[in-house]
Amino acid sequence: MATFLPQFQSIKSSFAHIVLSVEDVSDLWPTIKKGFEERLPFKRASLNNKTRNPVLVDELPAEFILTTDARLRSRFPQEQSLFWFREPYATIVLVTCEDLDEFKNILKPRLKLIVQNDEREWFIVYVSKAPAHNDQATKMAKKVYAKLEVDFSSKKRERCCKLDIHGPDPSFWDDLEAKIMECIRNTLDRRIQFYEEEIRKLSEQRFMPVWNFCNFFILKESLAFMFEVAHLHEDALREYDELELCYLETVNMAGKQRDFGGVEKGDDQATLLDSGKKALAQIVQDDSFREFEFRQYLFACQAKLLFKLKRPFEVASRGYSFIISFSGALALHESMLPFCMREVWVITACLALIGATTSNYEDGLAAPDVEKEFYRVQGELHTLCHTKFMRLGHLVGYGSDIERSPVNSASLSMLPWPKPAVWPPLPPDASSEVLAKEKMILQESPRLKHFGIQRKPLPLEPSVLLREANRRRASLSAGNMSDLFDGRPSSGDGPLLDSSGTPSAVQKMSSVSMSRTLSSPGNFDGSIDRPMRLAEIFVAAEHALRNTISDAELWKSLSSVEEFEKKYLDLCKGAADSYHRSWWKRHGVVLDGEIAAVHHKHENYDLAANLYEKVCALYAGEGWENLLAEVLPNLAECQKILNDQAGYLSSCVRLLSLDQGLFLPKERQAFQSEVVRLAHSEMEHPVPLDVSSLITFSSNQGPPLELCDGDPGTLTVALWSGFPDDITLESLSVMLTATNSTDEGAKAIKSSEAIVLRPGRNNITVSLPPQKPGSYVLGALTGQIGQLRFRSHSFSKGGPADTDDFMSFEKPTRPVLKVARPRSLVDLAAAVSSALLMNETQWVGIIVKPINYSLKGAVLHIDTGPGLSIAEKHEIEIEKHEFGANNSDHSDSPPDNHSPVSADVKQLSLEDGKINLPDWTSNITSVLWIPLKAISHGLAEGTPAGTVPQRQSVVDGLRTIALKLDFGVSHNQTFEKTVAVHFTDPFHVTTRVADKCSDGTLLLQVILQSQVKASLTVSDAWLDLQDGFAHTGKGDGRPVSKFFPLIVSSKSRAGILFSICVVDTPAKDEGEESDPISVLNIRYTISGERNLGAHSPVTKELTGPESETDPLTFRSALVLQRPVLDPCFAVGFLPLPSNGLRVGQLVTMNWRVERLKDSGKDEDSDDLDEVLYEVNVNSENWMVAGRKRGYTSLSTKQGSRIVISILCLPLVAGYVRPPQLGLPDVDKANISCNPPGPHLVCVLPPAFSSSYCVPAA
């Protein structure tokens, strides 16, 4: 079958559609040909694939060919079985007949002969020529067609259809297409079955000696091509995949050694997308094909089908995998291939694949995931091509022009040198080229980095090219070791240079030289060559590549440094653009760095800076500090040249932020000097930067600082400086963040002065203003160095893991400040609760009690209320509060025993109403004794005889002291309190008539009730009586009982008896007023303690014991009523209604007023006398409907009486006092009341009302 390969390839190039044969029995084809061919190609054709599943083909190309055509007649039977795919898929028989006899005798036998071949698919098209107006002809045509259907159609299959040439039925064309599709399907199924059977037979023999892959290939590809012609591209692709697998299984069978191929001119250009580049007959070897050409041919067929399936992304993916695997196959046969054949082929393959897939790909047609994967593969192809191209450039001497970046170093240092059987020799006429190369090598000088950074260049070669090339030479002499490595004599103490002009790793071997006998230039013979120098290796490789490379464009790219850099830049840009549109965006950014290096080299600093910024952002974000240290100095240099001060400053700070081991100390100092210079230069705007890696911070060891609400404080923060030298911070702020509240933002705590940071740890202190209650952590650090505004979010990780210096993001940040919630820090209270003496200077004690808070430096402001004054000429005393010394009403917690406090009383001065508390009272409870005097200008009133005793109101003796205590570190805490102090008279006086003698003498008993918590000693007493009363006896006003001194203990009573009598009131001169009250005068002394209550006045205490005989005087006003011995009027309260009183119901109150004796007026006056009355009522209990005060007429005769009625309304229920009737113009001593004292009446609640009640159903 191998002899049919040329014919098979020719058929493939010219055959691209399905053949439909036409058997024109009645010469009808010229008439109907146009109508048939207008139906081509067939739309929406339904075919069966290899697995007999229906497949819808959008467009199926086909061609109608007459059976008399030479293309169908000139075929041998063997050809028909081998190339069965080009045989007709259906036979269309065209007939016409208008007579039944003609049909029976002539047409029918001929048709039987035509359709007797069972292997062909056929059907009959009957063409009717009968005009529409000729009914007889039309009827005859119908009879003939009916007879035709009976003879050639069956129930299983319709094989006839009718075409009316004068007016075709539209349904005819659908019927015709359906019958053609049915024939094509049946034929295709039959042929698939035939090919599968033949292929199966050959597959079973593939491991046998008789196996012939060419025969298998022709059958397999015939089947694949048949699928391709039928537009079943998926099945065709599957056949080529199986064919490739079968070839790879059998190509290297044991015992069969075949040529690999690839040694012909032009084989360096990949043909993986051009299946017709070489004829199959040219690559046949024995019973198979050469691997080099045939594998590319198979991939080209696969790529062709994938492009037809509109899947260029799969072409790219398969192509990349194929290039990688085929490159491995080339490596196995590299010694038999031309020099660098592998590298050149990979470059051309990648470029061809990139161009084809890009031109066939349309954005937006594939899914987003597929599109990203497509561009990823495109980037991989560009990168692979870029790497191989750099290797070729290095071989011809352009290694110094390749950027020694990490990505290039990683790619080239792992890429081995070419491994030819013999390294290409130096052409005999290349001396001038060698001299030019040596001159180029000598002119090479490593480009210095900015800031004078010194780095060992990254390698671009897996091993020294000089050694590798000489090792692969046919013969190698033993010359000087220095000649082996650099090809030039070297000085005894100078370093050796490798291919890049840098110090070689074999410097130690320079002192070792071999015998000069064989290495001397004059001692070579014909069989021994000296080692090639580096320049000679470059020239030899260049000449060998000129013979290998047949692509003019590729060779042009290697012809000069400029062309090399241009191609290098194009490949980098293509790879970067592809990666940017794929998943691997980081690869694109890395390649942007290679592009930036080229721009940087050619002084295109603007473009280089833009690309370097992207690369630095990637490296910084990923934490690749080693890579960042390679690129960031270049960015800084571009920014400096472009006068981008802000960017340059940022780059310098970022360089300082990198790991200290990446740069030398002097290099880091250069960074810092640039930072300081730029920060203090005249920049328009401040530059904000993040220095989280350069300046770190944390709180100091130990518990957090604890403050009370409103207290300032001092916070200590540890700063770690990454600067190599000292640096001054003009300002520094620490951000505090509350942990218990998300509503409050961070608060900046600013340092008040400049701070000098030294390398390593620094402890700084900042003043804290009062903060809100809560727990605070360090949030961020901000500050300014000249025009540089820095910010740090990083916590220090410099300490061991078991110390507080170590900060981890895996554990919560430790609080540095805790501000307690508002609480009582101090309490002020009166030292005693019992009453003090009124109108006398008394010690008032104020207890100052700190509550777990220091009162150091506290100031107490004292403001006395009305009726109270401070005795300013006396000092204020303070002493430690002795618990239990006062009453149990004031019990304080025990003081701090550890506080060194003197128990003696200390004297303090009052200045402008404030007192500075001594420091020894800062942590203990103390008592402040203030001399105060409560002033009352009125006389104490005694209780009249015969009434219920009514004591002095507590409010009357109450005085207030407004206290304000300023305390805390800066008096930021304030406590205000108003303390109430009770002052009272020493006695409460009540009087009663103890006895009434027959001679009118009254024994008046005066009862003295002690109102203070002290012992009172009465030394003398006298009573100044009001008008109408007089003393009996001596008349000096002294009591009849003279048991003086009279001691009255606390809370006890004592009595004094006076003998008085009632006398007539003497007549007063006009304008002279009568004395309405009596005054009791008591001289007394008091014995008490100030921590219990009332005590001796301050002036008495200070004057000493000799003043103790000087007593105090107390005066009390007494109102004495003359006894009602001869009343003039009687007022009686009349009984209330029997039904009682009720809230809300009016009731009439009645009083009867009766005159008990004549009025004693002149007889000439009227018989009636006007008597003034007044109703006294409690407005909260009663409402009076009418007048409360008025006059009523009463006869002046004895026994005359009158009833006064008042209408009242009870307001509250219960027992209440009723209204009382009084006679204001009549002295109470002349009125007899009934009842004599206040009484109560019962008021019932209001009656229930049913106005709004609903009666029960």
Side-chain angles (χ1 to χ4, degrees):
M1 290 186 187
T3 58
F4 293 100
L5 285 175
Q7 185 180 358
F8 176 70
Q9 196 165 11
S10 176
I11 293 172
K12 282 187 61 178
S13 60
S14 60
F15 188 79
H17 47 259
I18 289 176
V19 175
L20 302 175
S21 63
V22 178
E23 187 72 37
D24 191 3
V25 178
S26 304
D27 296 330
L28 299 170
W29 181 244
T31 305
I32 65 175
K33 177 180 179 181
K34 181 179 180 182
F36 274 63
E37 291 182 346
E38 287 177 351
R39 311 299 298 178
L40 299 178
F42 297 114
K43 308 296 183 183
R44 308 291 291 175
S46 178
L47 301 178
N48 293 333
N49 61 7
K50 187 177 180 180
T51 58
R52 304 299 189 272
N53 293 322
V55 178
L56 199 61
V57 179
D58 293 334
E59 290 186 357
L60 181 63
E63 183 182 6
F64 294 102
I65 302 178
L66 291 173
T67 54
T68 58
D69 195 302
R71 290 175 291 176
L72 299 180
R73 293 291 183 181
S74 60
R75 294 176 186 166
F76 298 101
Q78 188 177 6
E79 294 180 18
Q80 293 179 356
S81 63
L82 189 60
F83 306 122
W84 203 4
F85 58 84
R86 68 173 183 171
E87 294 299 315
Y89 285 75
T91 300
I92 305 172
V93 183
L94 300 177
V95 297
T96 184
C97 183
E98 298 178 357
D99 186 76
L100 286 176
D101 294 336
E102 182 184 354
F103 172 74
K104 293 179 181 180
N105 299 325
I106 300 174
L107 186 59
K108 181 177 179 181
R110 188 175 178 181
L111 292 177
K112 290 287 186 181
L113 184 62
I114 293 174
V115 302
Q116 66 180 356
N117 187 358
D118 294 337
E119 294 183 357
R120 289 193 304 175
E121 287 291 328
W122 56 270
F123 66 94
I124 300 171
V125 177
Y126 175 76
V127 181
S128 174
K129 296 181 179 180
H133 60 274
N134 192 341
D135 295 340
Q136 184 177 358
T138 302
K139 291 180 180 180
M140 183 57 67
K142 289 182 178 179
K143 290 180 180 181
V144 174
Y145 180 70
K147 187 63 177 174
L148 186 66
E149 282 186 319
V150 172
D151 293 338
F152 293 97
S153 296
S154 63
K155 293 182 179 180
K156 295 182 178 180
R157 187 171 181 182
E158 278 288 337
R159 290 185 180 269
C160 299
C161 58
K162 181 182 178 182
L163 172 62
D164 193 345
I165 198 171
H166 294 290
D169 187 2
S171 62
F172 164 75
W173 299 110
D174 296 337
D175 189 20
L176 175 67
E177 187 172 338
K179 286 180 168 54
I180 292 175
M181 288 300 106
E182 185 179 10
C183 293
I184 294 175
R185 277 195 302 271
N186 294 336
T187 303
L188 190 61
D189 293 345
R190 189 182 302 113
R191 291 177 182 177
I192 291 174
Q193 186 177 3
F194 165 76
Y195 279 115
E196 285 183 340
E197 184 64 26
E198 293 298 322
I199 292 171
R200 184 185 60 79
K201 292 178 182 179
L202 290 179
S203 297
E204 293 174 353
Q205 302 174 3
R206 67 182 183 277
F207 297 113
M208 300 176 64
V210 296
W211 166 258
N212 190 309
F213 181 78
C214 292
N215 298 340
F216 179 81
F217 164 74
I218 292 176
L219 287 175
K220 194 73 172 175
E221 191 172 27
S222 296
L223 177 59
F225 186 67
M226 185 176 67
F227 284 133
E228 184 179 353
V229 169
H231 281 214
L232 298 175
H233 298 136
E234 290 284 359
D235 294 271
L237 180 62
R238 193 176 298 110
E239 295 303 319
Y240 279 113
D241 291 344
E242 294 176 359
L243 184 60
E244 182 182 15
L245 292 175
C246 184
Y247 176 77
L248 293 177
E249 284 182 358
T250 60
V251 65
N252 293 321
M253 292 180 61
K256 292 186 179 181
Q257 297 295 329
R258 298 183 177 88
D259 292 338
F260 180 75
V263 295
E264 299 177 2
K265 186 65 176 178
D267 284 350
D268 61 297
Q269 298 187 45
T271 60
L272 72 168
L273 293 177
D274 186 3
S275 60
K277 185 67 176 294
K278 279 189 178 182
L280 290 174
Q282 297 179 9
I283 64 175
V284 173
Q285 184 181 10
D286 298 333
D287 56 356
S288 185
F289 302 95
R290 291 200 299 264
E291 182 177 356
F292 181 80
E293 293 89 353
F294 187 69
R295 288 186 64 182
Q296 294 187 72
Y297 170 81
L298 290 179
F299 183 83
C301 296
Q302 294 170 346
K304 178 182 177 183
L305 292 171
L306 289 171
F307 282 134
K308 289 182 178 181
L309 289 170
K310 299 185 184 303
R311 300 212 300 255
F313 47 85
E314 191 170 343
V315 177
S317 178
R318 285 184 175 218
Y320 179 73
S321 301
F322 176 77
I323 291 173
I324 296 299
S325 63
F326 198 70
S327 177
L330 292 175
L332 296 176
H333 302 85
E334 189 172 5
S335 60
M336 298 179 294
L337 297 176
F339 183 68
C340 289
M341 174 69 179
R342 177 188 179 190
E343 284 76 10
V344 175
W345 183 90
V346 170
I347 292 173
T348 58
C350 290
L351 292 176
L353 197 60
I354 291 170
T357 53
T358 303
S359 62
N360 284 274
Y361 185 79
E362 297 181 10
D363 289 338
L365 295 181
D369 294 350
V370 176
E371 183 173 340
K372 289 182 180 295
E373 183 65 17
F374 169 74
Y375 284 111
R376 183 197 67 81
V377 177
Q378 291 284 91
E380 291 288 279
L381 290 171
H382 278 97
T383 303
L384 180 59
C385 181
H386 170 255
T387 303
K388 296 295 184 180
F389 184 72
M390 285 192 297
R391 171 59 75 228
L392 294 182
H394 199 283
L395 286 172
V396 299
Y398 301 151
S400 60
D401 296 297
I402 300 175
E403 177 68 17
R404 292 180 175 270
S405 62
V407 61
N408 287 343
S409 176
S411 300
L412 294 178
S413 62
M414 294 187 295
L415 183 66
W417 293 112
K419 299 177 181 178
V422 178
W423 196 267
L426 182 68
D429 55 347
S431 58
S432 60
E433 297 179 25
V434 172
L435 184 62
K437 291 289 184 182
E438 287 186 342
K439 183 178 180 181
M440 180 182 67
I441 294 174
L442 291 174
Q443 290 176 349
E444 293 176 2
S445 60
R447 184 158 45 91
L448 297 178
K449 284 184 174 291
H450 192 44
F451 302 108
I453 297 175
Q454 298 179 359
R455 286 289 181 273
K456 181 180 180 180
L458 297 175
L460 295 179
E461 45 196 11
S463 59
V464 180
L465 177 60
L466 188 67
R467 180 171 55 194
E468 182 70 18
N470 283 295
R471 188 176 65 84
R472 291 194 173 274
R473 295 188 62 203
S475 59
L476 177 66
S477 69
N480 282 342
M481 189 62 64
S482 61
D483 292 339
L484 181 62
F485 283 96
D486 65 358
R488 302 187 300 271
S490 61
S491 60
D493 56 350
L496 295 178
L497 301 177
D498 61 6
S499 60
S500 61
T502 56
S504 174
V506 295
Q507 182 177 356
K508 296 180 181 179
M509 302 173 62
S510 62
S511 61
V512 180
S513 63
M514 303 184 70
S515 173
R516 299 292 298 175
T517 304
L518 297 179
S519 62
S520 174
N523 294 335
F524 286 111
D525 56 23
S527 61
I528 300 179
D529 295 333
R530 64 172 180 82
M532 294 178 66
R533 299 193 301 272
L534 187 61
E536 295 172 341
I537 292 173
F538 289 158
V539 173
E542 185 175 352
H543 279 270
L545 282 174
R546 185 181 291 116
N547 296 329
T548 302
I549 299 174
S550 61
D551 187 355
E553 290 295 329
L554 179 58
W555 177 248
K556 180 181 178 182
S557 301
L558 295 172
S559 61
S560 64
V561 176
E562 292 75 13
E563 293 293 335
F564 173 77
E565 287 186 347
K566 180 180 178 182
K567 188 66 175 180
Y568 173 88
L569 192 61
D570 291 341
L571 292 175
C572 285
K573 288 181 178 179
D577 293 342
S578 298
Y579 281 132
H580 282 311
R581 303 173 70 177
S582 71
W583 305 103
W584 294 4
K585 297 185 183 299
R586 293 187 299 182
H587 290 65
V589 176
V590 171
L591 289 173
D592 284 339
E594 305 304 309
I595 302 172
V598 177
H599 291 312
H600 186 207
K601 177 181 177 182
H602 294 286
E603 299 182 355
N604 297 326
Y605 297 113
D606 194 7
L607 298 175
N610 293 334
L611 294 174
Y612 274 138
E613 286 177 356
K614 295 168 59 178
V615 178
C616 292
L618 171 66
Y619 291 167
E622 297 293 338
W624 299 337
E625 293 195 352
N626 290 335
L627 299 178
L628 187 60
E630 296 288 335
V631 181
L632 194 54
N634 298 336
L635 173 60
E637 181 181 359
C638 294
Q639 291 169 335
K640 183 177 181 181
I641 296 174
L642 294 172
N643 199 25
D644 181 8
Q645 293 183 340
Y648 184 46
L649 177 60
S650 174
S651 298
C652 293
V653 171
R654 292 167 70 181
L655 284 170
L656 284 169
S657 301
L658 297 179
D659 188 82
Q660 297 182 6
L662 296 175
F663 299 101
L664 298 176
K666 64 177 182 179
E667 296 171 351
R668 291 176 51 80
Q669 290 173 356
F671 302 157
Q672 181 174 343
S673 63
E674 288 294 287
V675 169
V676 175
R677 181 184 67 81
L678 289 172
H680 293 86
S681 63
E682 296 181 358
M683 291 190 294
E684 295 183 2
H685 304 287
V687 180
L689 290 177
D690 191 324
V691 295
S692 299
S693 301
L694 185 60
I695 299 178
T696 57
F697 59 93
S698 72
S699 60
N700 283 329
Q701 298 183 9
L705 177 64
E706 295 184 359
L707 297 177
C708 292
D709 179 38
D711 273 359
T714 301
L715 180 64
T716 303
V717 180
L719 263 68
W720 278 263
S721 172
F723 289 97
D725 293 329
D726 294 353
I727 191 166
T728 302
L729 309 181
E730 279 79 1
S731 65
L732 184 68
S733 298
V734 178
M735 307 299 290
L736 292 180
T737 304
T739 60
N740 57 345
S741 176
T742 58
D743 298 334
E744 298 183 9
K747 301 178 181 179
I749 310 301
K750 188 174 183 180
S751 176
S752 59
E753 56 185 11
I755 296 175
V756 178
L757 285 185
R758 294 177 175 82
R761 177 166 178 162
N762 299 265
N763 290 328
I764 64 169
T765 58
V766 292
S767 298
L768 283 176
Q771 303 293 322
K772 292 184 178 180
S775 179
Y776 293 85
V777 297
L778 294 177
L781 191 73
T782 59
Q784 191 161 348
I785 305 174
Q787 292 293 321
L788 171 61
R789 292 180 180 176
F790 64 83
R791 183 180 183 91
S792 175
H793 299 82
S794 178
F795 294 98
S796 173
K797 297 183 179 180
D802 55 349
T803 67
D804 289 338
D805 290 343
F806 180 81
M807 303 298 294
S808 173
F809 294 107
E810 298 178 356
K811 63 181 182 180
T813 307
R814 187 168 62 89
V816 297
L817 173 64
K818 289 184 178 180
V819 181
R821 295 184 179 276
R823 65 175 182 88
S824 298
L825 304 178
V826 68
D827 188 23
L828 301 176
V832 293
S833 59
S834 57
L836 302 176
L837 285 180
M838 183 73 74
N839 295 321
E840 299 293 344
T841 304
Q842 297 280 282
W843 291 110
V844 176
I846 303 299
I847 299 177
V848 182
K849 177 184 178 183
I851 304 176
N852 297 327
Y853 194 87
S854 175
L855 299 182
K856 187 175 182 180
V859 176
L860 180 64
H861 299 263
I862 302 175
D863 184 13
T864 57
L868 191 64
S869 61
I870 300 177
E872 296 182 356
K873 59 183 179 179
H874 301 296
E875 296 289 335
I876 297 176
E877 298 180 358
I878 188 170
E879 64 181 355
K880 180 180 178 182
H881 180 54
E882 299 293 342
F883 298 96
N886 57 350
N887 53 28
S888 60
D889 293 340
H890 291 277
S891 59
D892 299 328
S893 58
D896 297 334
N897 296 328
H898 61 273
S899 302
V901 180
S902 174
D904 298 335
V905 177
K906 304 296 181 180
Q907 304 290 330
L908 301 177
S909 298
L910 181 67
E911 298 179 0
D912 298 330
K914 59 183 180 181
I915 302 171
N916 295 320
L917 299 182
D919 291 343
W920 59 266
T921 63
S922 60
N923 294 315
I924 65 168
T925 303
S926 57
V927 182
L928 194 67
W929 296 103
I930 306 172
L932 296 175
K933 182 177 182 181
I935 301 173
S936 177
H937 299 286
L939 290 177
E941 295 183 0
T943 304
T947 62
V948 178
Q950 294 182 357
R951 301 230 173 186
Q952 182 182 9
S953 175
V954 176
V955 179
D956 295 339
L958 197 63
R959 299 293 186 270
T960 58
I961 307 173
L963 303 175
K964 177 183 176 182
L965 183 66
D966 293 336
F967 59 101
V969 178
S970 58
H971 289 179
N972 57 291
Q973 299 285 359
T974 301
F975 180 77
E976 297 181 3
K977 188 175 183 179
T978 299
V979 177
V981 183
H982 184 209
F983 292 86
T984 187
D985 296 319
F987 301 103
H988 176 68
V989 179
T990 58
T991 59
R992 73 183 186 92
V993 177
D995 193 9
K996 179 180 178 182
C997 301
S998 59
D999 57 357
T1001 302
L1002 300 176
L1003 294 179
L1004 179 63
Q1005 184 181 21
V1006 177
I1007 302 173
L1008 303 178
Q1009 174 70 49
S1010 174
Q1011 297 189 121
V1012 295
K1013 200 173 183 179
S1015 176
L1016 300 172
T1017 302
V1018 180
S1019 60
D1020 192 9
W1022 68 93
L1023 179 62
D1024 296 330
L1025 292 176
Q1026 64 193 63
D1027 294 341
F1029 294 90
H1031 290 278
T1032 62
K1034 296 181 179 180
D1036 56 357
R1038 297 295 194 274
V1040 289
S1041 56
K1042 296 182 180 180
F1043 300 102
F1044 298 115
L1046 177 62
I1047 299 175
V1048 183
S1049 301
S1050 174
K1051 304 300 182 181
S1052 62
R1053 293 188 299 173
I1056 302 175
L1057 193 63
F1058 291 92
S1059 176
I1060 63 176
C1061 64
V1062 178
V1063 296
D1064 293 333
T1065 302
K1068 300 290 184 179
D1069 296 335
E1070 185 176 357
E1072 184 180 357
E1073 296 181 356
S1074 61
D1075 191 1
I1077 60 173
S1078 301
V1079 177
L1080 177 65
N1081 300 276
I1082 298 176
R1083 288 187 177 180
Y1084 68 98
T1085 58
I1086 184 171
S1087 176
E1089 297 181 5
R1090 65 182 180 183
N1091 60 346
L1092 295 179
H1095 53 276
S1096 179
V1098 177
T1099 54
K1100 302 297 181 181
E1101 293 181 356
L1102 296 177
T1103 53
E1106 65 276 6
S1107 304
E1108 293 181 358
T1109 57
D1110 189 10
L1112 304 176
T1113 301
F1114 169 70
R1115 304 178 68 207
S1116 177
L1118 302 177
V1119 178
L1120 301 180
Q1121 295 184 2
R1122 300 177 63 184
V1124 185
L1125 302 179
D1126 190 13
C1128 298
F1129 292 93
V1131 178
F1133 183 79
L1134 299 182
L1136 295 172
S1138 59
N1139 55 357
L1141 303 180
R1142 193 174 294 273
V1143 174
Q1145 293 182 359
L1146 292 172
V1147 62
T1148 301
M1149 297 288 182
N1150 298 313
W1151 292 269
R1152 184 174 59 195
V1153 180
E1154 182 178 357
R1155 189 183 295 274
L1156 299 180
K1157 66 179 182 177
D1158 294 337
S1159 62
K1161 292 185 178 182
D1162 296 337
E1163 296 181 359
D1164 295 338
S1165 63
D1166 297 335
D1167 292 337
L1168 297 180
D1169 185 16
E1170 295 295 328
V1171 178
L1172 177 65
Y1173 69 90
E1174 183 179 12
V1175 177
N1176 298 317
V1177 64
N1178 188 347
S1179 59
E1180 295 180 358
N1181 299 334
W1182 301 89
M1183 184 177 70
V1184 177
R1187 297 172 60 186
K1188 296 181 181 180
R1189 183 182 178 96
Y1191 286 91
T1192 184
S1193 298
L1194 182 64
S1195 176
T1196 57
K1197 302 296 183 178
Q1198 182 179 0
S1200 60
R1201 63 182 61 178
I1202 190 175
V1203 175
I1204 299 176
S1205 300
I1206 299 296
L1207 193 62
C1208 299
L1209 182 70
L1211 300 179
V1212 296
Y1215 287 92
V1216 297
R1217 296 184 183 276
Q1220 295 182 358
L1221 182 68
L1223 303 177
D1225 291 344
V1226 180
D1227 192 0
K1228 294 181 178 180
N1230 296 324
I1231 301 174
S1232 175
C1233 295
N1234 184 23
H1239 63 286
L1240 301 177
V1241 296
C1242 179
V1243 179
L1244 300 177
F1248 292 102
S1249 176
S1250 60
S1251 300
Y1252 299 99
C1253 297
V1254 179

